């Protein structure tokens, strides 16, 4: 699982730190997986390959907005200001994702992770949904998650996993706009916002705009990734 890189306070310390809320790896553990945390760092193909050699699956987690420069746009005033730490995380996750796709490593994107998947594959984002939709229900602020009803697209991997619809915990003011290469929409909400995308075929690459870790009574997405990772591991050993 990828992690944040930003200033953090704990006790008397106020330092730059890599961290991730525990609820993410609690979800993986409850689904039968083992978590490894991946801090943002210097990246090149050799480093990415060495890291991915030791993994059976990848979760790209939530966090701050992707730098709009990565998809050819000027920043909106409401977009998180890009700094060196943010850009390092963007670059790290882009390269991890592309390396995972090259080798068929299972991938789950969560919230920002869905946006990273889309941008890494050449897509773009709506930088501020309230200007597109006229309301703030997708991100009400003050760390309060809103509940959205998402409808899946028949025949997709996501529909097979969660059925026709599901209540999703959302906290995002941005969303996918133009789709990246090879992606298909697998869920939308009542406003028509893209809430999930995936790659068709056998490769498990699924990205949701909501936060499944906020509903640990429903482990279906984590369990699906863990199952795909177990299959990948077996095939890697026998290859």
């Amino acid at each position: 699982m990828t992690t944040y890189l930003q200033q953090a306070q704990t006790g008397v310390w106020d330092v730059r730190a890599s961290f991730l809320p525990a609820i993410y790896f609690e979800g993986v553990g409850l689904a039968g997986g083992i978590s490894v945390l991946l801090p943002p760092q210097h990246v090149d193909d050799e480093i990415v390959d060495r890291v991915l050699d030791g993994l059976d699956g990848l979760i790209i987690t939530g966090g701050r907005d992707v730098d709009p420069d990565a998809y050819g746009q000027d920043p909106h005033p409401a977009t998180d200001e890009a700094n060196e730490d943010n850009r390092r995380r963007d670059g790290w996750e882009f390269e991890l994702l592309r390396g995972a796709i090259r080798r068929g490593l299972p991938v789950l994107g969560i919230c920002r992770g869905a946006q990273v998947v889309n941008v890494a594959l050449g897509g773009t984002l709506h930088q501020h949904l309230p200007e597109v939709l006229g309301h703030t229900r997708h991100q009400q602020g003050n760390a309060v998650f809103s509940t959205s009803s998402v409808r899946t697209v028949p025949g997709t991997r996501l529909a097979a996993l969660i059925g026709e619809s599901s209540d999703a915990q959302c906290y995002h003011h941005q969303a996918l706009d133009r789709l990246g290469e090879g992606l298909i929409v697998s869920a939308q909400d009542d406003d028509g916002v893209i809430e999930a995308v995936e790659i068709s075929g056998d490769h498990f690459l699924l990205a949701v705009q909501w936060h499944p870790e906020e509903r640990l009574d429903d482990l279906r997405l984590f369990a699906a990734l863990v199952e795909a990772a177990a299959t990948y591991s077996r095939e890697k050993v026998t290859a």
Side-chain angles (χ1 to χ4, degrees), residues 201-216:
D202 293 334
H203 181 202
F204 187 104
L205 190 157
L206 175 61
V208 298
Q209 186 64 79
W210 68 88
H211 284 269
E213 78 281 4
E214 293 295 323
R215 285 279 311 275
L216 294 185

Side-chain angles (χ1 to χ4, degrees), residues 10-204:
T10 174
V12 299
W13 305 104
D14 184 2
V15 297
R16 289 173 64 245
S18 171
F19 67 97
L20 186 70
I23 198 167
Y24 280 97
F25 45 88
E26 288 170 357
V28 171
L30 288 170
I34 300 170
S35 297
V36 175
L37 301 186
L38 305 173
Q41 55 197 287
H42 173 71
V43 60
D44 60 34
D45 289 344
E46 181 181 0
I47 291 172
V48 165
D49 283 339
R50 290 180 63 188
V51 169
L52 295 178
D53 282 346
L55 303 178
D56 299 319
L58 175 67
I59 297 179
I60 303 177
T61 61
R64 293 171 61 86
D65 298 333
V66 175
D67 184 358
D69 187 60
Y71 50 97
Q73 292 184 11
D74 295 327
H76 185 280
T79 297
D80 292 330
E81 183 178 356
N83 57 35
E84 182 179 350
D85 287 344
N86 297 344
R87 295 188 185 98
R88 176 170 291 189
R89 184 183 181 189
D90 288 350
W92 175 236
E93 293 181 342
F94 290 154
E95 292 307 314
L96 285 174
L97 173 66
R98 291 166 182 148
I101 291 173
R102 285 195 300 270
R103 62 178 63 202
L105 186 82
V107 176
L108 175 63
I110 294 177
C111 197
R112 167 195 155 90
Q115 297 166 6
V116 167
V117 167
N118 196 52
V119 172
L121 295 177
T124 62
L125 305 178
H126 292 298
Q127 289 194 52
H128 195 51
L129 275 179
E131 289 190 354
V132 179
L133 303 177
H135 64 74
T136 61
R137 287 195 295 272
H138 290 83
Q139 188 185 81
Q140 298 181 19
N142 296 318
V144 176
F145 287 83
S146 59
T147 302
S148 294
S149 178
V150 300
R151 301 182 311 279
T152 60
V153 175
T156 59
R157 181 187 299 275
L158 182 64
L161 290 174
I162 68 171
E164 294 181 0
S165 64
S166 181
D167 288 338
Q169 299 300 296
C170 292
Y171 197 84
H172 61 98
H173 80 108
Q174 299 192 336
L176 278 59
D177 185 8
R178 188 185 73 242
L179 286 186
E181 184 177 357
L183 294 176
I184 60 171
V185 175
S186 49
Q188 292 178 289
D189 69 6
D190 292 337
D191 289 315
V193 173
I194 297 172
E195 287 287 347
V197 291
E198 59 188 67
I199 287 180
S200 59
D202 293 334
H203 181 202
F204 187 104

